[in-house]
Each structure stands twice: as C-alpha cells, then as structure tokens.
Amino acid sequence: MATNEDMIDGRPVEYGLTLEELRELMEHRKHEAYETIQTRYNGVLEMCKKLYTSSNEGLSGSPVDLEHRRKVFGGNVIPPKPPKTFFQLVWEAIQDVTLIILLVAALISLGLSFYSGSAAEEDQGGGDSSEKEASWIEGVAILVAVVVVVLTTAFNDWQKEKQFRGLQAKIEHEHQFSVIRAGEVIQIPVGDIVVGDICLVKYGDLLPADGVIIQSNDLKVDESSLTGESDHVKKGEVNDPMLLSGTHVMEGSGKMLTTAVGINSQTGIIFALLGASSDEKEDKKNKQNSENNAQGQNAGVTIVSYKGTKGTGPTQPLLSDPGRVDTEHVNLEMTGNSHHANASNKVTNKIPEEVEEATTEVAKTVHSSARKEKSVLQSKLTKLAIQIGYGGTGIAVLTVLILIIKFSVRKFAVEERQWDWGYVEYFVNHFIIGVTVLVVAVPEGLPLAVTLSLAYSVRKMMHDNNLVRHLDACETMGNATAICSDKTGTLTTNRMTVVQSYIGGVHYKSIPNFQTLSNKIQEVMVKAISINSGYTSQVMKGEQEGELPKQLGNKTECALLGFVMDLGQSYEAVREDHPQDTLVKIYTFNSMRKSMSTVIHLPGGNFRLLTKGASEMVLNKCEYILDCKGEPQPFSVENQETVIKSVIEPMAGDGLRTICIAYKDYRKEKQGINDELIDDEPDWEDEDAIVRGLTCICIVGIEDPVRPEVPNAIKKCQRAGICVRMVTGDNVNTARSIAAKCGILRFNEDFLVLEGKEFNKRIRDPATGEVSQKLLDQVWPNLRVLARSSPQDKYVLVKGIIDSKLTSSREVVAVTGDGTNDGPALKKADVGFAMGISGTDVAKEASDIILTDDNFTSIVKAVMWGRNVYDSIAKFLQFQLTVNVVAVLVAFLGACIIDDSPLKAIQMLWVNLIMDTLASLALATELPSEELLERKPYGRTKPLISRTMMKNILGHSVYQLIVVFVLLFAGTYKNSLKPNFNKKNFIANLSLITSCLFCVELLNLKL
C-alpha cells in the first residue's frame, strides 16, 4: 500500500513511463510508431493513464503536480548559452586597430620617458627638468584614453543586449498555446507545457512540444524544418501519430498527448547537436576572425567595429522554428536542412554523419557571415581612417627623415664632427618627435565620439519602438535608398475585417442593419459563421475602453466572427448551444478544397451542412441562393456569372478577399426546394457527394485595413528619396490595391507590379535558369509590388538591388520580415527589421532592428535618427579633422624649423579626448527633426567628407595656421627686426596660442 511519501497530488510518484522510454518512442515514425504504441503500451489512451492524465479532462493543473513533472521529464525550455560577460565585451572592444596603435604608442612613450636624453637636449638648447620628470604622464594619458573608449563600448553593448533579452522574455511569455486542464480549454505560455498535457492543435500552429495524436481531423503537418521534406505529411491516429516540436500544422486539427518537452524533444536534441558542433569550432572561429581582421585592416588605422552581442537571456521556451540556440552558432536558414535521410527513419540521439555534416555547414555558414559585410558607416569611416593613417604615417616618417638629415648635415658636414655612439640619443629624440606627429594625426577621439553618438541615439530610439541590436544599423538606416516591406501587419493592421457583403441580392458597402434582414437569413448566416469556424478562433473584447478587440486564431475566421459581432449577435452563444464534440463531421480547410465544411445535427434526425470558402470555389457548388425574404431561388450558371461580374470582381478590384457562405439541409421530410431527402444518415466520408447542391447565403469581402498612419509615412519616405516596395505573399489584386492605398503606387510614375513567377521569368537566364544581374537591373528600378513571392524571391530581389551598379551612389536596402524563412533576406539587407510582436525568433536573431510595434511608421523614425547620427558624425569629423590638420602641420613645420615639435602628444590627447568628447555629446544629444527627411539619401559610395566639408576644413586650417605663425614669429622679434628665437619660449607661446585657437575651432561644430 502506497504511503503518503509515495503520493503526489493524490497519485503515485512513479510514472508508468520513463523519460528514456518516451524519448525512444519519439524516434519512431509513421505506421511503425503506431505499432510500437499498440504493442508496448496498448494504445495512446493507456499511455495517458500511465502518465496520470485524461484525454478529455487533461491534467489537474495542480502546482505540485506540474512542478513534479518538470523535475522528472524536464521543462519546455532550452537552456541557452550564457550571454557574454562584461570582460568578454571589453576584450572584443580592445581588438580595434586604432586602439592597438594607441596602446603601442603609450608603451613607447612610457618606455622613453625613463630614457635620459639630457645631453642631447642641452646640446640643442637646454631642457626643462620638470618637464622631463613629468614626461611619463603622456603615456599614462594615452592609456587612460584607451580605457575610456573600451569601457564605453563594452558598457553600451552590455546594456543593449540586456534590453534585448528583456524584450525577448516578454514576447516569449506572451506566446501561448491551447491545452486542456481540469476539463477546461485554457491558453498557457508554451514554456509552461509539461509532459502529460493534452494540447489542442489546429491549422497554423507551431507545435511547441513532441506528442502522440489522440484524435485528429484531416491533419497535415509541414516537417521540412526537421526532415527537409517539402511535402506536407498526413497525420492520423493510425498512419502517423507522431507530432514533433518546431513543425507547422498546415491543415486540420486534433488533440495531442505531450510526451517530450524542451531538450528532450526532437527539436531540442537537434539544438543540442548544433550547439555541440559549434562549441567544438569556437576556438577555430576566434582564430580565423583574428586573422581576417588583421588582413582586412592592414593600413594601421580603422574605426571601432560596433558588433552587438547576441547571447540570449534566461532559459527560452521552445516555441520557435529550429535555428535559435545562439545566433553566433546556428544557421538562420534552417528550413532547408535535412537532418535525417527520410521521415520514416529513426532519429538517434547520437550525431549521425549527415547531421554532423549539416551542423558543420551550419557553423561554417554562420562563422563566415556572423555579421554581414561592414555597414555603410563602417566602410566609409574605415576608408577615411586608412587614408588618415597613411597620411599621418607619411608625415611622421618625413619628419623623422628631415630631422635626421638636418642633424647629420649640421654635425658631420658643417661642423665636421666624427661619429660617436652618443649621437644615438639624438636619433631617439627624433623618433619620439615622429611618434608625436603620428599620435597627433590619428583621430583618437573619433571612436569614442561615434560610439557615444550611436549609443545615445539607440537609447532614444527605444521610445520610438525601435530596438536596435547592432549600433551601426542606426546610422545605416539614415543612408537607406530602398525599403522592401511586408504587407500584413506592417503596412496593414493585421486585423482582417469584413467591409462589404452581398446578402439577399443586395450589395452592402458597409455593415448592414441586422434587423432589416429576413429571419431565415439571420438564423442561418449567424450559425454558419459561428459554428463553421475553428472554435479556437475568437474575438476578445479589449481590456480597456476604446481598445480594439483582440483577434485570436485564424484571422479570416476572426473577421467573420467580428462581422457577427458587428451585426449585434453573439457567436459564443451559438457555440454554447453546439459544443464542438456534438459536431457530426468537419471537412477542414486545405489548399485543394479552399473551403471548410461542418455537419451539425438538426431536430428530428436531420442534418445541416455549413460551408465557407473562396467564393469562386463555393459558388460552383451552389444550385440555390437566398433572396431578400430568405427564400431559396434557383441559381443558374448565368446568374452565377452575373454575381461574379457585379459583386465578386468589384470586391477583388478593391483588394478584398471574397468568401462565400452556404448551407445544405439533409432532411427525412422535404420542407424546401433546396433540401435533400435522406432515409438514413449519409456517408459523410463521400465528400464529393455531400458538398454539392448548396444554397448560397451571402458573399463577404474581407480587407486587412491599411494602418491610418502608413500613407503619410510612405509619402515622407518618398520625399526623402527612399523607394518603398511591397513584397508580399498575397495575390496580385489585393497587393495592388493595398499598395495604391498606401501610396506605393503613384499614377504619375512608371511602375511594375509582378507576381513571383513572372518576376523569376524576367530575371533568370533562359539558357541556364540562373539569376542574371543584367536582367534583374532591368526589373528592380520600376518594381513597386512583388506579389505571391517566396522567401527566395525576396532574397534575390534584395541581393540584386544591393549588388546593382546602376546608380552611381549604389543602393542601401532595408528589409522587413517576420517569418523564419525571412532570415536570409534580413541578413543580406543592409538593415533588417524584424517584427517584435508577430516575428519568429529566427527573424529577430537575423535582424538589426526590432520593431516593437510592428508598424511601418517606426521605420520612418529610424530613418530620421539614422540621418541625425550621420549628420552629427559628419559635423564632428569636420571639427576633428580641422584640429588634426592644423596640429599635424604645426608639429611638422615646428620640427623642421626648430628641430622639435611645438605640440606635445599629451596636449593633443587632452584636446581630442576631453574637448572632442564634450563636442560629440553635444552633437549626439541633438534631437532629429522632420527637416532631415527633406534631402535625398547619400547612398553607399558617396564620400563621408563632402566638398563643402573639405572647403570648410581647408579654409579653417589655413586661417588658423596663418594666425598661429604670424603671432608667434612676429612675437619673437625684439628691438625692431632683430630676431630672438628661444626654443623654450617659442614652444610655450605656440602651445598656449594654439590651445586658445582650438577653442575658437568650436565654431566649426555648427557649420
């Protein structure tokens, strides 16, 4: 007899099935799986008993029971790789070549500060002992500068990743799934699902755990994310009862017993394989990246690489497609990977060869392109920094050569002295002067200025619903010349709404008055919509007054249910009268039927068939139509064509999805001309015989309304020189209509509206079938709408625009995406926008910016911020380079004239790291304005320093040099024209006046 210690929530502690048995069971496929369940466990219902659950009531929901199940079978979470520590971020930040140069300069300066050069300096005019004693400060100051830059960069990366993890946790917690607990259907976060839960699966679901089918209706699943098979797999209690996490339900519905969650599910096992494979190659990746950085930045100077870290936060619920473990170690294009030879093979927990090869390719793909090519800003700043590095190095070498030549000529030719090893001291001093000139030339304040500017903007952009995951994406968006946007949810509200209807021979352009409809139409139409929809589709009232109702489930069905509510009726009351388990037969929607039908009981042993679907498909099966009195009238082919031309085609022209709703009564006694007489219950499996001879109730036009703020936002983009293109999977008529309403299509422009098939036909070489850039260049400039497009079409379009050289400035492309398959296009784009609400984890990880409100207007705000950052950096560069040009020339000319640099490195570092930091903060805190959208984008290849900036830099430099040298050389003359060059006084005067003049240079900031 079991003791209390052996009981949990009123049942035994030990389960009838172990974790190992369940994992082994889920390795079987198809009929083999059914046979295993029957022979080993006597069926799925017996398995429910062994797991102490009920197929009808589900789990009790007791916290004690749920916690015990998590302890025994694991939770439905995958422990991620820990986020990078602050010290790892510091190490990454210090890899910048500019900072390495500064470190070398600091060490040289510190080393030489302890070298006694008194004899040489006295021979050249004496020295200041206090200055020599404090010479170590120069090296320390450089080290302090490096520390400031590194800590600022690391802190910003850490803070940014923390924000992302917080948003990710919030979004994942809101992702819920339907389960039965204590006899009630409830929605719970997918992370709360445990082994033994009874899950209700339906069309469009992404399965969050592995399970065994208890009951199903025409269930078909897309398992391509696991097996690589593109064909949908038909599931059933007998033919293939196994459902796998990470797969999509494409048709039908059903009930599932959860048998494996988290890391014990098939997706979790593959996650583990990918993570293990990547870990083994971590060291190789780091080594390879270091070599690549050394090869790609061999000019001596570059800009800081602003990479965001991508570690995930606390354990993540298993709710997304494969491709998530850690974005640095997982391929974002997972749907094509074949981890198993075929669906019927067992999945082993060991790494088979094909899986190992796949994970190896995954690692290679990610490691070679963990972060796409350099951003526009990175490329321009790197090019500029390399040029500055070359120029500074050249002037430094020239300075040293001039000093050595002057010294050698004076000592050995003019004074005719003999060589002595003591003269080495002079050459060391000349080298110090050259290093000083180089330090002056390198823009030490630039990395910090750019980081501060970007980091401040990123924090502010959070308030505009832009979560920036890579700092450089902020400014890159300011240079965008093209935006390829999704339609649903981005340009539209993603709230399907019935806006037109054809009822009783009347075409309504708005919601009709329900009381004006006949009683027969009222009764049959409300029931047809309420019952013949997935019961998981619901429209919930907003929590706050004035808030729009929430649509849960299939959006088209939600639109129809919303139509019922707009008529003042309750679909919930109808469903209460007709519970789901009382329905006779359900013909679920699929791509072949393009319709859904449900059979219900009528009093007296009669039946009623309710049908809804694509209007052209359902109308063909209709022989009657209800008139305004609710009486059935014959519906001939000629009448059907009339309705198509006068109702359906105008609705389609308005971009509406047309749905026809019909019914048919099977009665033992005929009551109307449209009834079908029966003696016994019909054979419901004979679908063709059942779904025919229907009576049309109504036709509705469903629209996904354009967000009211989108047309104005697109106008702003077009005024700013940004071309907006719609890339959608919708049909071409709907896409064209929405594009016209948004303002993407303008009547005074030449534009192309293409479907995916036509697009591919135009851009591919007829001989080879490969994409031709030449052919693509003939299409994309005028392309405005790409309808019925696949993710591959989107990727090809984005890549083609980026690679095109039709425009002199080259195109900078931004892309929006929300699906797993959008990952490649998001990664390829210069800026990838993922949807924070509707987007999958894979899309978010592949993106640069996450739109937390899924709204196109947030993209326009990102453009404003990006341009503001770009302009701020340009202003700062003008200020910085003017200072550097003057300083280098003063140091060079001073060295040539008086054999010493009038400006010490410590003075220039003070200017660069203190004054420049304050200047960058002043520029970074300048808020963007609408005026930024009045100019055209600069594009990919336009130089960072424009002609106007160059004129300002040269003009100010010449002005300052003239003032400096006139004042100083004029001030050295005493007693009329008798010169009195005292090197110490000369340097002191020049340093003082130059420092004052640099303060005047602040005027440059606003020019």
Side-chain angles (χ1 to χ4, degrees):
M1 182 174 181
T3 64
N4 291 334
E5 289 78 8
D6 297 331
M7 303 293 288
I8 289 287
D9 193 35
R11 48 92 177 166
V13 173
E14 296 293 332
Y15 296 95
L17 295 170
T18 65
L19 175 62
E20 290 72 20
E21 286 178 316
L22 292 175
R23 285 188 58 159
E24 194 275 335
L25 172 65
M26 296 310 298
E27 295 172 4
H28 297 276
R29 296 289 180 270
K30 298 189 175 180
H31 190 68
E32 178 191 356
Y34 172 75
E35 292 293 338
T36 302
I37 293 172
Q38 294 299 319
T39 55
R40 291 187 186 179
Y41 310 113
N42 297 322
V44 65
L45 295 181
E46 190 63 27
M47 289 180 63
C48 291
K49 294 179 181 179
K50 292 178 180 293
L51 292 173
Y52 305 117
T53 186
S54 167
S55 60
N56 294 321
E57 300 292 321
L59 298 177
S60 66
S62 166
V64 176
D65 177 50
L66 297 178
E67 186 59 35
H68 184 260
R69 291 175 185 273
R70 293 190 185 96
K71 182 178 179 180
V72 175
F73 298 107
N76 197 30
V77 293
I78 294 181
K81 299 179 75 67
K84 292 182 180 177
T85 65
F86 184 78
F87 294 104
Q88 287 176 311
L89 298 177
V90 168
W91 175 251
E92 288 184 356
I94 208 171
Q95 303 302 309
D96 182 70
V97 178
T98 303
L99 301 182
I100 293 175
I101 288 179
L102 288 175
L103 284 174
V104 173
L107 294 176
I108 293 176
S109 179
L110 278 175
L112 293 177
S113 68
F114 299 106
Y115 170 77
S116 176
S118 59
E121 292 185 4
E122 288 171 3
D123 188 68
Q124 292 189 27
D128 187 344
S129 60
S130 62
E131 181 180 342
K132 298 168 192 170
E133 292 175 358
S135 60
W136 59 271
I137 296 177
E138 184 173 320
V140 173
I142 298 175
L143 290 176
V144 171
V146 172
V147 169
V148 171
V149 172
V150 168
L151 291 181
T152 302
T153 303
F155 177 76
N156 282 320
D157 282 346
W158 175 81
Q159 188 178 50
K160 174 170 55 67
E161 188 58 31
K162 182 180 179 182
Q163 291 173 342
F164 175 73
R165 291 197 302 269
L167 175 74
Q168 189 66 32
K170 177 183 176 183
I171 292 172
E172 285 166 348
H173 184 72
E174 292 175 352
H175 189 104
Q176 298 185 327
F177 205 82
S178 297
V179 300
I180 301 177
R181 285 187 180 175
E184 294 184 2
V185 177
I186 61 173
Q187 297 276 329
I188 64 172
V190 294
D192 293 346
I193 294 175
V194 297
V195 170
D197 262 322
I198 306 300
C199 295
L200 300 180
V201 300
K202 63 183 184 304
Y203 166 78
D205 278 346
L206 175 62
L207 297 181
D210 292 352
V212 178
I213 294 175
I214 299 174
Q215 174 269 327
S216 65
N217 291 312
D218 294 333
L219 196 61
K220 289 187 178 180
V221 177
D222 178 7
E223 294 185 343
S224 61
S225 58
L226 287 180
T227 66
E229 289 189 3
S230 58
D231 293 338
H232 297 165
V233 180
K234 185 174 179 59
K235 298 286 183 175
E237 297 88 321
V238 177
N239 60 311
D240 190 354
M242 297 304 191
L243 295 178
L244 307 177
S245 59
T247 59
H248 287 87
V249 179
M250 306 307 292
E251 295 181 25
S253 59
K255 188 187 297 184
M256 172 185 85
L257 167 66
T258 304
T259 56
V261 295
I263 59 175
N264 297 308
S265 66
Q266 295 303 303
T267 298
I269 293 171
I270 292 179
F271 274 158
L273 298 181
L274 287 170
S277 175
S278 298
D279 282 340
E280 294 172 1
K281 299 172 179 60
E282 179 74 21
D283 294 336
K284 290 184 179 180
K285 182 199 75 169
N286 291 334
K287 181 178 179 181
Q288 181 181 356
N289 287 345
S290 299
E291 294 174 353
N292 291 341
N293 288 338
Q295 295 173 359
Q297 300 171 346
N298 56 6
V301 185
T302 187
I303 192 63
V304 175
S305 177
Y306 302 104
K307 274 190 178 181
T309 59
K310 300 181 185 175
T312 53
T315 53
Q316 306 295 337
L318 181 58
L319 56 85
S320 182
D321 292 357
R324 175 169 180 87
V325 182
D326 184 275
T327 51
E328 291 187 348
H329 303 295
V330 87
N331 187 5
L332 296 176
E333 190 176 1
M334 290 293 299
T335 54
N337 284 343
S338 179
H339 294 285
H340 320 289
N342 55 62
S344 63
N345 289 344
K346 290 186 179 182
V347 181
T348 63
N349 294 338
K350 299 178 182 179
I351 304 181
E353 291 184 4
E354 62 268 25
V355 174
E356 190 167 22
E357 288 182 12
T359 52
T360 300
E361 291 303 314
V362 166
K364 287 182 179 179
T365 302
V366 175
H367 294 161
S368 63
S369 60
R371 178 71 180 94
K372 60 192 78 166
E373 298 85 359
K374 287 183 178 179
S375 71
V376 177
L377 178 68
Q378 282 181 317
S379 300
K380 292 183 178 181
L381 285 177
T382 299
K383 183 178 180 180
L384 175 65
I386 290 173
Q387 293 171 344
I388 293 174
Y390 283 144
T393 304
I395 294 178
V397 172
L398 186 60
T399 300
V400 174
L401 290 177
I402 290 176
L403 289 174
I404 292 176
I405 293 172
K406 284 184 61 179
F407 174 79
S408 300
V409 170
R410 185 175 68 251
K411 292 293 183 182
F412 305 121
V414 177
E415 299 179 7
E416 298 182 349
R417 295 191 182 187
Q418 298 297 320
W419 168 258
D420 186 271
W421 284 106
Y423 290 130
V424 173
E425 185 177 345
Y426 291 96
F427 292 101
V428 172
N429 287 332
H430 298 332
F431 175 74
I432 294 175
I433 295 173
V435 171
T436 302
V437 172
L438 179 59
V439 171
V440 168
V442 175
E444 297 90 351
L446 183 57
L448 180 59
V450 175
T451 301
L452 289 173
S453 179
L454 289 174
Y456 176 82
S457 299
V458 165
R459 285 194 293 271
K460 287 292 185 181
M461 288 174 70
M462 274 295 295
H463 300 297
D464 288 334
N465 302 308
N466 284 273
L467 177 64
V468 181
R469 301 190 62 243
H470 300 111
L471 283 176
D472 50 36
C474 172
E475 99 33 67
T476 303
M477 197 58 211
N479 283 313
T481 59
I483 298 175
C484 296
S485 175
D486 277 343
K487 178 184 74 68
T488 304
T490 308
L491 300 175
T492 63
T493 61
N494 197 22
R495 295 181 55 83
M496 300 290 184
T497 308
V498 174
V499 294
Q500 295 185 31
S501 58
Y502 180 76
I503 307 173
V506 181
H507 189 172
Y508 296 92
K509 295 297 183 70
S510 60
I511 302 299
N513 185 340
F514 189 70
Q515 302 304 323
T516 62
L517 304 178
S518 70
N519 293 335
K520 177 67 178 296
I521 292 180
Q522 290 180 358
E523 185 259 342
V524 71
M525 182 173 67
V526 171
K527 284 188 176 181
I529 294 175
S530 303
I531 299 173
N532 190 34
S533 297
Y535 276 34
T536 53
S537 296
Q538 302 175 42
V539 179
M540 312 294 291
K541 292 184 178 180
E543 297 178 356
Q544 300 178 359
E545 187 176 351
E547 184 180 355
L548 291 174
K550 295 181 180 179
Q551 295 184 339
L552 305 177
N554 183 278
K555 298 301 182 182
T556 301
E557 292 182 343
C558 286
L560 295 172
L561 297 176
F563 179 58
V564 171
M565 296 174 66
D566 291 338
L567 292 172
Q569 304 303 301
S570 172
Y571 71 88
E572 294 171 323
V574 176
R575 289 181 173 180
E576 289 178 0
D577 294 337
H578 297 80
Q580 192 170 8
D581 56 5
T582 64
L583 305 181
V584 179
K585 177 66 176 178
I586 299 176
Y587 302 96
T588 59
F589 178 90
N590 63 33
S591 57
M592 294 297 293
R593 295 189 185 106
K594 291 189 181 297
S595 64
M596 173 182 178
S597 300
T598 302
V599 180
I600 64 174
H601 288 285
L602 290 178
N606 301 317
F607 302 93
R608 172 170 290 173
L609 172 73
L610 305 172
T611 299
K612 74 170 188 298
S615 55
E616 66 276 13
M617 301 292 289
V618 177
L619 278 180
N620 286 336
K621 299 177 181 180
C622 289
E623 296 180 0
Y624 304 92
I625 187 170
L626 296 182
D627 61 14
C628 61
K629 297 179 182 180
E631 297 297 328
Q633 301 296 331
F635 196 38
S636 64
V637 175
E638 292 76 11
N639 291 337
Q640 290 182 19
E641 292 178 354
T642 301
V643 171
I644 290 174
K645 292 181 179 179
S646 62
V647 178
I648 295 178
E649 288 184 357
M651 285 185 180
D654 291 336
L656 306 182
R657 177 183 298 175
T658 55
I659 302 293
C660 180
I661 300 172
Y663 82 102
K664 179 180 181 180
D665 285 345
Y666 290 87
R667 295 181 180 275
K668 295 181 177 180
E669 295 181 3
K670 196 164 187 176
Q671 296 182 0
I673 61 172
N674 59 335
D675 293 341
E676 181 166 326
L677 285 174
I678 57 171
D679 294 326
D680 299 316
E681 183 172 343
D683 179 11
W684 302 119
E685 297 303 322
D686 188 359
E687 181 182 349
D688 292 337
I690 296 297
V691 187
R692 63 176 182 80
L694 306 178
T695 301
C696 176
I697 304 171
C698 65
I699 299 171
V700 297
I702 298 177
E703 177 189 44
D704 186 5
V706 174
R707 290 181 183 266
E709 65 273 18
V710 163
N712 186 47
I714 290 180
K715 284 183 181 178
K716 290 181 179 179
C717 287
Q718 293 168 340
R719 192 167 65 247
I722 302 173
C723 179
V724 181
R725 296 177 174 86
M726 178 194 293
V727 184
T728 178
D730 260 333
N731 68 69
V732 68
N733 289 329
T734 301
R736 182 186 288 109
S737 174
I738 297 296
K741 292 178 180 178
C742 291
I744 293 176
L745 301 181
R746 296 188 290 182
F747 296 106
N748 57 345
E749 287 185 348
D750 291 331
F751 57 79
L752 280 176
V753 177
L754 297 178
E755 288 187 323
K757 290 183 179 179
E758 179 65 19
F759 172 73
N760 278 282
K761 183 178 179 181
R762 293 195 181 196
I763 66 172
R764 295 184 182 275
D765 189 324
T768 63
E770 298 295 326
V771 175
S772 167
Q773 185 65 48
K774 182 179 179 181
L775 294 175
L776 188 56
D777 285 343
Q778 298 174 6
V779 174
W780 72 258
N782 291 328
L783 182 65
R784 293 296 178 271
V785 176
L786 182 58
R788 292 298 185 199
S789 63
S790 67
Q792 180 66 18
D793 294 337
K794 179 186 283 190
Y795 176 84
V796 169
L797 176 63
V798 172
K799 183 178 184 299
I801 297 177
I802 291 176
D803 294 344
S804 176
K805 298 181 181 179
L806 279 183
T807 56
S808 58
S809 60
R810 302 282 299 278
E811 298 289 312
V812 178
V813 183
V815 171
T816 68
D818 56 6
T820 299
N821 291 334
D822 289 328
L826 289 170
K827 283 180 67 67
K828 181 61 182 176
D830 295 292
V831 181
F833 286 90
M835 304 297 107
I837 299 174
S838 61
T840 63
D841 288 347
V842 175
K844 293 171 194 170
E845 295 288 3
S847 68
D848 302 289
I849 299 177
I850 295 177
L851 299 178
T852 57
D853 62 347
D854 289 11
N855 197 331
F856 186 86
T857 55
S858 299
I859 299 177
V860 179
K861 293 175 183 176
V863 173
M864 291 175 56
W865 275 107
R867 293 191 175 189
N868 188 61
V869 169
Y870 190 95
D871 288 354
S872 297
I873 293 174
K875 292 176 185 177
F876 179 82
L877 271 175
Q878 178 175 303
F879 167 75
Q880 170 91 64
L881 294 181
T882 303
V883 173
N884 284 26
V885 168
V886 173
V888 168
L889 290 179
V890 167
F892 173 71
L893 295 176
C896 294
I897 296 173
I898 62 171
D899 300 337
D900 195 3
S901 174
L903 297 174
K904 300 302 180 182
I906 184 64
Q907 294 170 318
M908 286 308 304
L909 284 173
W910 174 264
V911 171
N912 284 356
L913 293 176
I914 302 300
M915 186 170 70
D916 293 359
T917 300
L918 297 177
S920 66
L921 281 174
L923 291 169
T925 53
E926 187 174 356
L927 297 176
S929 65
E930 293 284 343
E931 295 178 357
L932 292 169
L933 299 177
E934 299 295 332
R935 67 167 173 81
K936 302 297 182 183
Y938 293 134
R940 186 182 301 275
T941 58
K942 184 176 181 180
L944 191 58
I945 301 178
S946 63
R947 290 186 178 181
T948 302
M949 288 176 61
M950 184 62 72
K951 291 177 183 178
N952 287 335
I953 292 172
L954 295 178
H956 277 267
S957 299
V958 171
Y959 155 69
Q960 292 181 30
L961 287 170
I962 292 175
V963 173
V964 167
F965 286 116
V966 166
L967 290 177
L968 289 172
F969 281 103
T972 61
Y973 281 81
K974 295 182 179 179
N975 300 325
S976 297
L977 298 177
K978 182 180 179 181
N980 178 22
F981 281 98
N982 182 290
K983 191 173 91 170
K984 181 178 177 181
N985 292 337
F986 182 91
I987 293 174
N989 294 339
L990 182 56
S991 298
L992 176 62
I993 293 177
T994 305
S995 297
C996 294
L997 198 59
F998 286 159
C999 293
V1000 178
E1001 168 64 15
L1002 287 171
L1003 295 173
N1004 243 342
L1005 289 174
K1006 293 299 180 181
L1007 294 179

